[in-house]
């Protein structure tokens, strides 16, 4: 029974990563959420580069030169500010596009959903992206 349960978990996880509607948790279900995921995955954002930039900042702050440390910290805050501003504009655009495409759809929470997905590195997004960068999402 343990082996069967393990196989079921593996199959469910694979279906979730593929984006099968039945395997998605409630927060990811629905046509509007799928549209938001595809829209976010079809563009690049500064937020998805935040984690690698933080790693570079960490390495630069280990250098015992105050100006290098200052520049590294300033870079971190600049990227954070740019990611937040990008998230605000992305959220406003997502709400407008979803309202136009799905007239009866509730847009509550979609802006945060889109921003949080845009801040994840593309390889680590779940469910996996189903569109390529540059694809037009309709």
């Amino acid at each position: 029974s343990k082996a069967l349960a393990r196989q079921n978990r593996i199959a469910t996880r694979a279906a979730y990563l593929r984006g099968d509607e039945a395997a998605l948790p409630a927060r990811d279900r629905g046509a509007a959420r799928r549209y938001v995921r595809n829209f976010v995955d079809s563009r690049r954002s500064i937020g998805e580069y935040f984690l690698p930039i933080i790693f570079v900042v960490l390495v630069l702050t280990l250098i015992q030169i105050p100006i290098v440390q200052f520049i590294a910290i300033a870079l971190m805050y600049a990227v954070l500010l740019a990611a937040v501003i990008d998230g605000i504009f992305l959220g406003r655009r997502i709400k407008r596009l979803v309202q136009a495409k799905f007239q009866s759809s509730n847009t509550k929470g979609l802006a945060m959903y889109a921003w949080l997905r845009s801040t994840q590195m593309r390889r680590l997004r779940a469910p996996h992206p189903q569109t390529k960068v540059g694809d037009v999402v309709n």
Side-chain angles (χ1 to χ4, degrees), residues 29-33 36 94-96 98-111 113:
R29 283 192 186 141
R33 297 282 173 139
V36 169
I94 282 292
K95 282 185 175 183
R96 191 173 54 246
V98 168
Q99 193 64 36
K101 186 169 179 73
F102 308 99
Q103 287 82 16
S104 63
S105 180
N106 183 6
T107 61
K108 183 178 181 183
L110 290 182
Y113 182 74

Side-chain angles (χ1 to χ4, degrees), residues 17-93:
L17 292 175
R18 275 193 315 271
D20 290 347
E21 195 73 23
L24 293 175
R27 71 165 193 269
D28 293 326
R29 283 192 186 141
R33 297 282 173 139
R34 180 178 299 276
Y35 178 78
V36 169
R37 285 194 305 273
N38 289 339
F39 183 83
V40 169
D41 294 340
S42 71
R43 61 190 287 278
R44 295 223 184 262
S45 68
I46 188 71
E48 64 187 283
Y49 300 109
F50 188 68
L51 190 61
I53 290 171
I54 291 298
F55 180 73
V56 170
V57 167
L58 176 66
V59 171
L60 289 176
T61 56
L62 296 175
I63 299 173
Q64 295 298 318
I65 302 171
I67 190 69
V68 172
Q69 292 175 338
F70 177 78
I71 290 171
I73 298 298
L75 172 67
M76 178 188 69
Y77 282 118
V79 171
L80 178 63
L81 181 65
V84 168
I85 291 171
D86 180 51
I88 291 168
F89 285 115
L90 173 65
R92 292 173 71 190
R93 188 170 181 195

